[in-house]
Amino acid sequence: MKDQLNNIKIQAEKELTSITSIQELENLRVKYLGKKGELTSVLRGMGALSAEERPVTGQLANEIRAFLENRIDSARDELVKNERGLKLEKEVIDVTIPGKRKMLGRKHPLTIALDEIKDVFLGMGYEIAEGPEIELDYYNFEALNIPKNHPARDVQDTFYINDNIVLRTQTSPVQIRVMESKKPPIKIICPGRVYRSDEVDATHSPIFHQVEGLVVDKGVTMGDLIGTLQVFAKALFGENSKIRLRPHHFPFTEPSAEVDVSCWSCGGTGCRVCKNEGWIEILGAGMVHPKVLETCGIDPEVYSGFAFGLGVERTAMGRLNIDDMRLLYENDIRFLKQF
Ligand code: PHE
Protein backbone atom coordinates (compact mmCIF):
# COMPACT_ATOMS: atom_id res chain seq x y z
CA MET A 1 0.00 0.00 0.00
CA LYS A 2 2.90 2.30 0.74
CA ASP A 3 4.19 1.64 -2.77
CA GLN A 4 0.77 2.42 -4.17
CA LEU A 5 0.73 5.73 -2.33
CA ASN A 6 4.25 6.62 -3.45
CA ASN A 7 3.35 5.76 -7.04
CA ILE A 8 0.33 8.05 -6.88
CA LYS A 9 2.60 10.83 -5.65
CA ILE A 10 5.15 10.29 -8.43
CA GLN A 11 2.45 9.96 -11.09
CA ALA A 12 0.58 13.05 -9.93
CA GLU A 13 3.78 15.13 -9.77
CA LYS A 14 4.67 14.06 -13.28
CA GLU A 15 1.26 14.98 -14.67
CA LEU A 16 1.41 18.31 -12.88
CA THR A 17 4.40 19.38 -14.95
CA SER A 18 2.43 19.22 -18.20
CA ILE A 19 -0.66 21.09 -17.00
CA THR A 20 -1.35 24.26 -19.04
CA SER A 21 -4.80 25.42 -17.94
CA ILE A 22 -6.88 25.77 -14.81
CA GLN A 23 -9.40 23.31 -16.22
CA GLU A 24 -6.71 20.66 -16.69
CA LEU A 25 -5.49 21.30 -13.18
CA GLU A 26 -8.98 20.85 -11.79
CA ASN A 27 -9.34 17.56 -13.68
CA LEU A 28 -6.09 16.41 -12.16
CA ARG A 29 -7.21 17.35 -8.66
CA VAL A 30 -10.42 15.38 -9.07
CA LYS A 31 -8.50 12.44 -10.51
CA TYR A 32 -6.22 12.11 -7.47
CA LEU A 33 -7.83 13.89 -4.56
CA GLY A 34 -11.54 13.87 -5.45
CA LYS A 35 -14.15 11.71 -3.70
CA LYS A 36 -13.63 8.98 -6.24
CA GLY A 37 -10.00 9.91 -6.73
CA GLU A 38 -7.07 7.50 -6.62
CA LEU A 39 -5.73 8.57 -3.25
CA THR A 40 -9.18 8.37 -1.71
CA SER A 41 -9.76 4.85 -2.99
CA VAL A 42 -6.41 3.66 -1.65
CA LEU A 43 -7.33 5.09 1.76
CA ARG A 44 -10.63 3.21 1.62
CA GLY A 45 -8.68 -0.01 1.54
CA MET A 46 -6.95 0.83 4.86
CA GLY A 47 -9.40 -1.32 6.83
CA ALA A 48 -7.53 -4.38 5.63
CA LEU A 49 -4.27 -3.25 7.22
CA SER A 50 -2.92 -4.45 10.54
CA ALA A 51 -3.21 -2.25 13.61
CA GLU A 52 0.53 -1.33 13.45
CA GLU A 53 0.55 -0.53 9.76
CA ARG A 54 -2.63 1.57 9.78
CA PRO A 55 -1.35 4.74 11.54
CA VAL A 56 1.92 4.72 9.58
CA THR A 57 0.17 4.34 6.25
CA GLY A 58 -2.48 6.85 7.31
CA GLN A 59 0.19 9.39 8.10
CA LEU A 60 1.92 8.82 4.79
CA ALA A 61 -1.39 9.20 2.94
CA ASN A 62 -2.08 12.47 4.76
CA GLU A 63 1.38 13.76 3.96
CA ILE A 64 0.95 12.92 0.31
CA ARG A 65 -2.50 14.54 0.23
CA ALA A 66 -1.13 17.69 1.88
CA PHE A 67 1.82 17.66 -0.48
CA LEU A 68 -0.33 17.30 -3.58
CA GLU A 69 -2.84 19.91 -2.38
CA ASN A 70 0.03 22.25 -1.86
CA ARG A 71 1.48 21.63 -5.31
CA ILE A 72 -1.91 22.00 -6.95
CA ASP A 73 -2.53 25.28 -5.13
CA SER A 74 0.76 26.77 -6.17
CA ALA A 75 0.29 25.48 -9.72
CA ARG A 76 -3.12 27.24 -9.72
CA ASP A 77 -1.54 30.49 -8.50
CA GLU A 78 1.03 30.23 -11.24
CA LEU A 79 -1.61 29.61 -13.93
CA VAL A 80 -3.80 32.50 -12.76
CA LYS A 81 -0.79 34.77 -12.80
CA ASN A 82 0.11 33.69 -16.33
CA GLU A 83 -3.41 34.07 -17.60
CA ARG A 84 -3.62 37.59 -16.21
CA GLY A 85 -0.23 38.36 -17.72
CA LEU A 86 -1.37 37.13 -21.10
CA LYS A 87 -4.53 39.18 -20.87
CA LEU A 88 -2.58 42.27 -19.91
CA GLU A 89 -0.22 41.67 -22.75
CA LYS A 90 -3.09 41.36 -25.20
CA GLU A 91 -4.81 44.47 -23.95
CA VAL A 92 -1.77 46.63 -23.77
CA ILE A 93 -2.23 50.14 -25.14
CA ASP A 94 0.65 51.57 -27.07
CA VAL A 95 0.51 55.22 -26.17
CA THR A 96 3.23 56.02 -28.66
CA ILE A 97 1.15 55.09 -31.74
CA PRO A 98 0.23 58.31 -33.59
CA GLY A 99 -3.52 59.14 -33.33
CA LYS A 100 -5.91 58.89 -36.22
CA ARG A 101 -6.67 62.42 -37.31
CA LYS A 102 -10.36 63.12 -37.96
CA MET A 103 -11.08 65.19 -41.06
CA LEU A 104 -12.74 68.37 -39.90
CA GLY A 105 -15.42 69.71 -42.21
CA ARG A 106 -15.65 73.39 -42.90
CA LYS A 107 -18.07 75.90 -44.31
CA HIS A 108 -18.62 76.05 -48.05
CA PRO A 109 -17.55 79.42 -49.50
CA LEU A 110 -21.17 80.20 -50.36
CA THR A 111 -22.13 79.61 -46.75
CA ILE A 112 -19.25 81.78 -45.57
CA ALA A 113 -20.45 84.63 -47.78
CA LEU A 114 -24.08 84.07 -46.85
CA ASP A 115 -23.29 84.09 -43.12
CA GLU A 116 -21.38 87.35 -43.50
CA ILE A 117 -24.24 88.91 -45.46
CA LYS A 118 -26.75 87.79 -42.83
CA ASP A 119 -24.56 89.19 -40.05
CA VAL A 120 -24.47 92.63 -41.64
CA PHE A 121 -28.23 92.84 -42.05
CA LEU A 122 -29.14 91.20 -38.75
CA GLY A 123 -26.88 93.82 -37.19
CA MET A 124 -29.05 96.51 -38.81
CA GLY A 125 -32.20 94.99 -37.35
CA TYR A 126 -33.43 92.91 -40.28
CA GLU A 127 -35.35 89.67 -39.82
CA ILE A 128 -34.95 86.61 -42.02
CA ALA A 129 -37.89 85.50 -44.16
CA GLU A 130 -38.31 82.50 -46.41
CA GLY A 131 -40.43 81.43 -49.33
CA PRO A 132 -40.84 78.38 -51.56
CA GLU A 133 -38.46 77.60 -54.43
CA ILE A 134 -41.33 76.11 -56.43
CA GLU A 135 -43.43 79.20 -56.79
CA LEU A 136 -46.70 80.34 -58.27
CA ASP A 137 -46.45 82.43 -61.41
CA TYR A 138 -48.50 84.99 -59.49
CA TYR A 139 -45.78 85.60 -56.89
CA ASN A 140 -42.78 85.22 -59.18
CA PHE A 141 -44.16 87.55 -61.86
CA GLU A 142 -47.72 88.86 -61.76
CA ALA A 143 -47.74 90.48 -58.31
CA LEU A 144 -44.30 91.91 -59.04
CA ASN A 145 -45.79 93.89 -61.88
CA ILE A 146 -44.24 91.66 -64.51
CA PRO A 147 -46.96 91.45 -67.15
CA LYS A 148 -47.60 88.38 -69.26
CA ASN A 149 -45.54 89.58 -72.23
CA HIS A 150 -42.46 90.72 -70.29
CA PRO A 151 -39.16 89.25 -71.59
CA ALA A 152 -38.26 88.00 -68.08
CA ARG A 153 -41.02 85.44 -68.52
CA ASP A 154 -39.49 84.07 -71.68
CA VAL A 155 -39.29 80.29 -71.52
CA GLN A 156 -35.56 80.67 -72.16
CA ASP A 157 -35.09 82.16 -68.71
CA THR A 158 -37.70 80.37 -66.66
CA PHE A 159 -38.18 76.74 -65.75
CA TYR A 160 -41.90 76.19 -65.99
CA ILE A 161 -43.55 73.31 -64.14
CA ASN A 162 -46.86 74.26 -65.73
CA ASP A 163 -48.62 77.48 -66.74
CA ASN A 164 -49.09 78.51 -63.14
CA ILE A 165 -46.03 77.11 -61.42
CA VAL A 166 -42.37 77.94 -61.95
CA LEU A 167 -39.04 77.41 -60.24
CA ARG A 168 -38.60 80.89 -58.82
CA THR A 169 -36.26 82.96 -60.96
CA GLN A 170 -35.57 85.44 -58.16
CA THR A 171 -36.14 85.84 -54.42
CA SER A 172 -38.43 88.84 -55.07
CA PRO A 173 -41.64 86.75 -54.72
CA VAL A 174 -40.85 86.57 -51.01
CA GLN A 175 -41.38 90.36 -50.91
CA ILE A 176 -44.99 89.78 -51.92
CA ARG A 177 -45.50 86.89 -49.50
CA VAL A 178 -44.14 88.98 -46.63
CA MET A 179 -46.15 92.11 -47.51
CA GLU A 180 -49.33 90.01 -47.82
CA SER A 181 -48.89 88.55 -44.37
CA LYS A 182 -47.43 91.45 -42.41
CA LYS A 183 -48.18 95.14 -42.08
CA PRO A 184 -45.35 97.73 -42.10
CA PRO A 185 -42.90 98.37 -40.63
CA ILE A 186 -41.24 95.56 -42.57
CA LYS A 187 -37.50 94.96 -42.55
CA ILE A 188 -36.48 91.56 -43.88
CA ILE A 189 -33.87 89.77 -45.87
CA CYS A 190 -34.61 86.55 -47.67
CA PRO A 191 -31.69 84.33 -48.65
CA GLY A 192 -32.47 81.52 -51.04
CA ARG A 193 -31.89 79.47 -54.13
CA VAL A 194 -33.17 80.62 -57.52
CA TYR A 195 -33.32 78.99 -60.94
CA ARG A 196 -32.80 80.22 -64.47
CA SER A 197 -32.42 78.33 -67.67
CA ASP A 198 -28.83 79.52 -68.24
CA GLU A 199 -25.87 77.70 -69.71
CA VAL A 200 -23.09 76.93 -67.23
CA ASP A 201 -20.00 79.10 -67.60
CA ALA A 202 -17.52 80.97 -65.38
CA THR A 203 -20.17 83.46 -64.27
CA HIS A 204 -23.48 81.63 -64.82
CA SER A 205 -25.25 78.65 -63.36
CA PRO A 206 -28.88 77.52 -63.74
CA ILE A 207 -29.07 77.34 -59.96
CA PHE A 208 -27.72 80.18 -57.90
CA HIS A 209 -28.42 82.13 -54.75
CA GLN A 210 -29.78 85.54 -53.96
CA VAL A 211 -30.46 87.56 -50.88
CA GLU A 212 -33.54 89.72 -51.19
CA GLY A 213 -33.93 92.76 -48.97
CA LEU A 214 -37.15 94.63 -48.27
CA VAL A 215 -37.84 97.62 -46.06
CA VAL A 216 -41.31 99.22 -45.96
CA ASP A 217 -42.27 101.96 -43.55
CA LYS A 218 -43.36 105.57 -43.44
CA GLY A 219 -40.83 107.92 -45.03
CA VAL A 220 -38.36 105.37 -46.41
CA THR A 221 -36.21 107.02 -49.09
CA MET A 222 -33.63 106.25 -51.73
CA GLY A 223 -31.09 107.75 -49.30
CA ASP A 224 -31.87 104.92 -46.85
CA LEU A 225 -31.30 102.38 -49.62
CA ILE A 226 -27.94 103.86 -50.60
CA GLY A 227 -26.76 104.16 -47.01
CA THR A 228 -27.75 100.56 -46.32
CA LEU A 229 -25.90 99.27 -49.38
CA GLN A 230 -22.81 101.27 -48.46
CA VAL A 231 -22.72 99.65 -45.03
CA PHE A 232 -23.08 96.26 -46.69
CA ALA A 233 -20.27 96.90 -49.24
CA LYS A 234 -17.83 98.15 -46.60
CA ALA A 235 -18.57 95.22 -44.31
CA LEU A 236 -17.96 92.62 -47.00
CA PHE A 237 -15.40 94.16 -49.30
CA GLY A 238 -13.49 96.46 -46.98
CA GLU A 239 -13.67 99.97 -45.53
CA ASN A 240 -12.48 101.55 -48.80
CA SER A 241 -15.21 100.00 -50.94
CA LYS A 242 -17.53 102.30 -52.77
CA ILE A 243 -20.84 101.66 -54.47
CA ARG A 244 -22.24 103.11 -57.66
CA LEU A 245 -25.86 103.15 -58.83
CA ARG A 246 -26.69 102.94 -62.52
CA PRO A 247 -30.26 103.67 -63.65
CA HIS A 248 -32.01 100.48 -64.68
CA HIS A 249 -35.46 99.02 -65.09
CA PHE A 250 -37.17 96.49 -62.88
CA PRO A 251 -40.95 96.27 -63.19
CA PHE A 252 -41.38 96.06 -59.42
CA THR A 253 -39.23 99.05 -58.38
CA GLU A 254 -39.36 102.70 -59.42
CA PRO A 255 -36.83 104.17 -59.69
CA SER A 256 -34.59 101.17 -60.19
CA ALA A 257 -30.84 100.78 -60.27
CA GLU A 258 -28.15 98.26 -60.85
CA VAL A 259 -25.55 98.58 -58.13
CA ASP A 260 -21.82 98.10 -58.61
CA VAL A 261 -19.14 97.86 -55.98
CA SER A 262 -15.64 99.17 -56.60
CA CYS A 263 -13.45 96.28 -57.73
CA TRP A 264 -12.28 94.21 -54.75
CA SER A 265 -9.18 93.21 -56.63
CA CYS A 266 -7.76 96.51 -57.93
CA GLY A 267 -9.78 98.96 -55.83
CA GLY A 268 -11.14 100.69 -58.93
CA THR A 269 -8.16 101.32 -61.17
CA GLY A 270 -9.07 98.50 -63.56
CA CYS A 271 -7.84 94.94 -63.79
CA ARG A 272 -8.64 91.50 -65.19
CA VAL A 273 -11.20 90.72 -62.46
CA CYS A 274 -13.34 93.79 -63.23
CA LYS A 275 -12.56 93.61 -66.98
CA ASN A 276 -10.86 97.02 -66.63
CA GLU A 277 -14.11 98.61 -65.50
CA GLY A 278 -13.02 99.29 -61.91
CA TRP A 279 -16.56 98.27 -60.88
CA ILE A 280 -18.37 94.97 -60.45
CA GLU A 281 -22.14 94.59 -60.53
CA ILE A 282 -23.48 92.78 -57.49
CA LEU A 283 -27.13 93.64 -57.11
CA GLY A 284 -30.34 95.16 -58.38
CA ALA A 285 -32.34 97.55 -56.24
CA GLY A 286 -34.91 100.31 -56.18
CA MET A 287 -37.90 101.87 -54.46
CA VAL A 288 -40.81 99.44 -54.21
CA HIS A 289 -43.24 100.23 -57.03
CA PRO A 290 -46.52 101.79 -55.77
CA LYS A 291 -48.44 99.19 -57.77
CA VAL A 292 -46.70 96.39 -55.90
CA LEU A 293 -47.52 97.98 -52.54
CA GLU A 294 -51.15 98.33 -53.64
CA THR A 295 -51.33 94.71 -54.77
CA CYS A 296 -50.31 93.73 -51.26
CA GLY A 297 -52.85 96.01 -49.60
CA ILE A 298 -50.34 98.62 -48.46
CA ASP A 299 -51.25 102.25 -49.13
CA PRO A 300 -48.46 103.83 -51.24
CA GLU A 301 -49.65 107.28 -50.13
CA VAL A 302 -48.72 106.40 -46.57
CA TYR A 303 -45.87 103.95 -46.93
CA SER A 304 -42.80 103.67 -49.10
CA GLY A 305 -40.04 101.12 -49.26
CA PHE A 306 -36.91 99.94 -50.90
CA ALA A 307 -35.89 96.51 -52.11
CA PHE A 308 -32.73 94.91 -53.35
CA GLY A 309 -31.63 91.53 -54.62
CA LEU A 310 -27.99 90.59 -54.42
CA GLY A 311 -26.10 87.69 -55.87
CA VAL A 312 -24.50 85.42 -53.27
CA GLU A 313 -22.16 83.74 -55.78
CA ARG A 314 -20.85 87.11 -56.97
CA THR A 315 -20.37 88.22 -53.40
CA ALA A 316 -18.59 85.00 -52.42
CA MET A 317 -16.34 85.19 -55.46
CA GLY A 318 -15.40 88.77 -54.66
CA ARG A 319 -15.07 88.24 -50.96
CA LEU A 320 -12.92 85.11 -51.30
CA ASN A 321 -11.10 85.82 -54.56
CA ILE A 322 -12.67 83.02 -56.60
CA ASP A 323 -12.54 83.59 -60.33
CA ASP A 324 -14.81 80.83 -61.67
CA MET A 325 -18.32 80.18 -60.41
CA ARG A 326 -18.13 76.52 -61.40
CA LEU A 327 -15.61 75.95 -58.61
CA LEU A 328 -18.41 76.62 -56.14
CA TYR A 329 -20.42 73.64 -57.35
CA GLU A 330 -17.80 71.03 -58.23
CA ASN A 331 -17.26 70.03 -54.59
CA ASP A 332 -13.57 69.45 -55.10
CA ILE A 333 -12.24 69.12 -51.57
CA ARG A 334 -8.83 70.48 -52.56
CA PHE A 335 -10.56 73.71 -53.56
CA LEU A 336 -13.01 73.86 -50.64
CA LYS A 337 -10.24 73.21 -48.09
CA GLN A 338 -8.75 76.64 -48.78
CA PHE A 339 -11.46 78.67 -47.08
N1 PHE B 1 -35.05 90.37 -58.55
C1 PHE B 1 -34.10 91.15 -59.28
C2 PHE B 1 -33.21 90.19 -60.10
O1 PHE B 1 -33.21 89.02 -59.84
C3 PHE B 1 -33.23 91.97 -58.37
C4 PHE B 1 -33.99 93.03 -57.64
C5 PHE B 1 -34.49 92.76 -56.40
C6 PHE B 1 -34.16 94.27 -58.17
C7 PHE B 1 -35.18 93.73 -55.70
C8 PHE B 1 -34.83 95.24 -57.49
C9 PHE B 1 -35.33 94.97 -56.24
O2 PHE B 1 -32.53 90.62 -61.02
Side-chain angles (χ1 to χ4, degrees):
M1 191 165 264
K2 268 187 193 162
D3 289 348
Q4 246 178 315
L5 286 171
N6 280 323
N7 280 341
I8 286 174
K9 184 184 169 202
I10 292 163
Q11 187 61 27
E13 265 197 294
K14 205 171 126 202
E15 282 180 31
L16 255 172
T17 58
S18 59
I19 292 290
T20 57
S21 75
I22 290 181
Q23 186 55 52
E24 278 174 36
L25 186 68
E26 179 58 16
N27 293 344
L28 182 128
R29 191 188 65 77
V30 172
K31 180 175 168 194
Y32 290 100
L33 307 179
K35 269 188 194 146
K36 294 175 184 162
E38 291 188 17
L39 192 70
T40 321
S41 59
V42 171
L43 288 178
R44 261 195 211 114
M46 289 232 309
L49 295 176
S50 66
E52 299 90 62
E53 270 180 312
R54 211 176 291 154
V56 185
T57 315
Q59 202 192 342
L60 179 65
N62 281 337
E63 275 169 20
I64 292 177
R65 169 179 288 277
F67 173 81
L68 287 179
E69 272 173 354
N70 221 323
R71 292 293 309 271
I72 287 172
D73 280 350
S74 52
R76 180 175 292 114
D77 286 351
E78 197 63 24
L79 282 172
V80 167
K81 225 167 51 191
N82 281 351
E83 252 168 46
R84 201 174 293 144
L86 278 176
K87 208 165 163 214
L88 283 176
E89 230 167 70
K90 247 194 269 167
E91 290 175 1
V92 82
I93 295 172
D94 181 352
V95 292
T96 66
I97 291 178
K100 285 184 194 148
R101 201 176 284 265
K102 285 234 168 63
M103 252 250 278
L104 253 197
R106 57 182 81 205
K107 283 188 196 170
H108 189 279
L110 277 178
T111 308
I112 296 174
L114 189 55
D115 283 350
E116 288 185 11
I117 296 168
K118 281 187 196 162
D119 269 357
V120 175
F121 287 104
L122 289 176
M124 289 193 273
Y126 285 68
E127 285 172 54
I128 293 182
E130 280 184 356
E133 290 174 24
I134 302 171
E135 185 56 286
L136 290 170
D137 178 282
Y138 175 77
Y139 289 107
N140 196 76
F141 294 128
E142 201 80 29
L144 285 164
N145 197 28
I146 303 176
K148 284 269 187 255
N149 53 2
H150 194 277
R153 282 173 163 254
D154 199 308
V155 279
Q156 280 188 12
D157 296 326
T158 308
F159 290 113
Y160 279 89
I161 303 232
N162 62 33
D163 280 352
N164 287 324
I165 300 174
V166 300
L167 295 184
R168 70 178 177 194
T169 58
Q170 48 188 356
T171 41
S172 302
V174 186
Q175 287 187 35
I176 307 297
R177 289 181 174 275
V178 170
M179 285 191 281
E180 270 185 353
S181 65
K182 201 173 174 250
K183 293 296 138 218
I186 290 170
K187 204 170 173 187
I188 55 112
I189 53 167
C190 162
R193 201 171 284 150
V194 299
Y195 302 82
R196 286 184 202 178
S197 172
D198 277 331
E199 291 295 331
V200 175
D201 67 25
T203 53
H204 291 89
S205 156
I207 303 175
F208 58 102
H209 299 77
Q210 291 187 333
V211 174
E212 193 80 7
L214 175 69
V215 174
V216 183
D217 202 352
K218 288 179 181 156
V220 175
T221 69
M222 194 85 177
D224 297 319
L225 170 63
I226 294 172
T228 302
L229 295 178
Q230 265 164 354
V231 169
F232 160 75
K234 285 184 194 300
L236 263 100
F237 303 112
E239 212 27 58
N240 295 326
S241 299
K242 293 186 193 61
I243 56 164
R244 171 178 90 170
L245 277 72
R246 280 177 290 107
H248 194 72
H249 171 76
F250 295 108
F252 40 94
T253 47
E254 182 59 34
S256 303
E258 278 188 326
V259 181
D260 302 335
V261 57
S262 52
C263 178
W264 42 72
S265 185
C266 64
T269 53
C271 70
R272 195 179 59 89
V273 173
C274 58
K275 301 196 182 81
N276 274 323
E277 295 277 331
W279 297 92
I280 297 172
E281 186 206 323
I282 52 162
L283 60 94
M287 300 306 290
V288 182
H289 199 292
K291 264 194 178 171
V292 173
L293 291 174
E294 252 166 31
T295 303
C296 300
I298 295 172
D299 185 352
E301 297 296 331
V302 180
Y303 293 103
S304 58
F306 66 75
F308 58 85
L310 67 92
V312 181
E313 277 77 358
R314 282 274 170 94
T315 308
M317 289 165 75
R319 176 70 187 73
L320 302 167
N321 253 316
I322 298 165
D323 60 6
D324 192 323
M325 195 186 284
R326 286 168 289 199
L327 291 165
L328 293 171
Y329 306 118
E330 280 166 356
N331 289 334
D332 184 332
I333 287 187
R334 291 166 303 176
F335 167 72
L336 296 173
K337 268 205 305 217
Q338 301 171 66
F339 304 101

